[in-house]
Amino acid sequence: MSYLKDHTLYYKKTCPFCQKVLRFMDEKGITLDMRDTTQPGIQNDLVCIGGKKQVPCLVINGKAMYESDDIIKYLATQAD
């Protein structure tokens, strides 16, 4: 398992694009901090970081990355 520190994934369980990213992470054994935007206050945190509510959003050292394909492409370069 590969744990990526300074990485946080904002997601919603019902989002198909989030599920795509989560499946990829599971297949590759990638773990990182996770934030479910359906939990109180988490969506507000996401808006403060990236300026919008869109999920999935991977925050890398404070910088927001959107779009499931871009996130998967990035995570593929980080997997051991």
Side-chain angles (χ1 to χ4, degrees):
M1 281 251 195
S2 178
Y3 175 76
L4 302 178
K5 69 177 205 169
D6 300 322
H7 291 67
T8 304
L9 181 69
Y10 286 82
Y11 72 101
K12 188 169 18 177
K13 291 177 188 171
T14 57
C15 166
F17 299 104
C18 296
Q19 289 301 316
K20 182 177 169 182
V21 172
L22 293 171
R23 272 193 309 276
F24 176 81
M25 288 172 54
D26 191 46
E27 289 168 9
K28 298 296 182 184
I30 297 170
T31 59
L32 44 77
D33 290 335
M34 309 276 289
R35 302 284 186 271
D36 183 346
T37 60
T38 62
Q39 298 300 312
I42 301 297
Q43 190 174 66
N44 291 338
D45 294 345
L46 175 58
V47 171
C48 288
I49 293 166
K52 51 187 174 179
K53 298 185 221 177
Q54 181 180 331
V55 289
C57 177
L58 179 64
V59 178
I60 309 155
N61 293 317
K63 185 175 179 207
M65 175 187 290
Y66 298 95
E67 302 301 330
S68 58
D69 289 339
D70 292 340
I71 292 170
I72 288 170
K73 207 177 293 182
Y74 171 81
L75 289 174
T77 68
Q78 303 302 304
D80 291 334

